Amino acid sequence: MTRVWKWNRPVTVREVLEDLQQERSIAYTTVMTVLDNLHQKGWVRREAEGRAYRYEAVSTRAAYSAALMNDAWSQSDNPAAALVAFFGMMSEEQRRALRDAVHIVQGPEEDPEQGADGGETRVTPDVADEKQVEKPDEKPVEASGEKPGENPDSGPGGTGR
């Protein structure tokens, strides 16, 4: 997959073979088998060109990496703790890349260090169990967005049922 991603275009078995042979001895049939296996697993699509195929990655390397991280994170029984541990392993350069990515996802209107109202937001340590978010000088707010004791059936300024 590394070779297919590297060129970012449809490639033939021969092209991959010639590139790999610069580093080590490898047979044409080995490369053909690997690309065929990748096709059968859905990692690459292929299109016939004469008597050969051109193989192209189905997704980007970044998308593949993201899927791996998401899969690993979703397997955790405590996702918040898993993220804290993961962030703790990051270099400063990786943390900067993470901050840049969060800015891209959130857009320019909200700073990840602050809540939507401009105040700093802290996640309580028991977030994975209690699902509470705490803002300074406020009582905890349930993850559903309702304040404790608030009637969910009443609209803004309403009296409920």
Side-chain angles (χ1 to χ4, degrees):
M1 276 309 300
T2 300
R3 305 300 165 144
V4 177
W5 281 323
K6 174 181 158 184
W7 287 312
N8 196 26
R9 62 171 175 78
V11 297
T12 64
V13 171
R14 175 80 46 206
E15 290 172 319
V16 175
L17 174 71
E18 289 171 359
D19 192 45
L20 286 169
Q21 285 179 332
Q22 293 177 15
E23 298 172 16
R24 62 189 166 119
S25 177
I26 188 167
Y28 181 94
T29 53
T30 301
V31 176
M32 184 174 63
T33 300
V34 169
L35 285 169
D36 186 57
N37 288 341
L38 290 170
H39 175 257
Q40 289 177 21
K41 292 179 180 183
W43 287 67
V44 295
R45 61 181 148 257
R46 69 182 179 191
E47 193 170 311
E49 183 177 279
R51 293 180 10 192
Y53 287 108
R54 283 205 172 266
Y55 295 87
E56 183 176 22
V58 170
S59 68
T60 64
R61 187 177 205 144
Y64 171 70
S65 296
L68 282 177
M69 289 186 286
N70 186 56
D71 186 49
W73 183 51
S74 67
Q75 298 296 319
S76 174
D77 60 345
N78 188 341
L83 284 174
V84 169
F86 179 63
F87 297 155
M89 294 178 198
M90 291 179 156
S91 68
E92 187 54 40
E93 181 180 343
Q94 290 169 319
R95 286 189 192 106
R96 278 194 299 276
L98 176 63
R99 279 192 293 274
D100 292 345
V102 168
H103 282 308
I104 290 168
V105 171
Q106 287 184 332
E109 59 274 349
E110 186 174 322
D111 184 341
E113 302 291 318
Q114 297 183 349
D117 63 357
E120 183 180 328
T121 301
R122 292 190 312 267
V123 178
T124 60
D126 57 350
V127 70
D129 299 324
E130 300 291 325
K131 304 271 192 272
Q132 292 183 342
V133 175
E134 184 179 321
K135 290 191 175 194
D137 305 323
E138 288 185 20
K139 294 188 180 194
V141 177
E142 295 295 323
S144 67
E146 300 162 10
K147 292 186 176 148
E150 182 177 293
N151 183 350
D153 294 327
S154 65
T159 58
R161 295 180 189 183

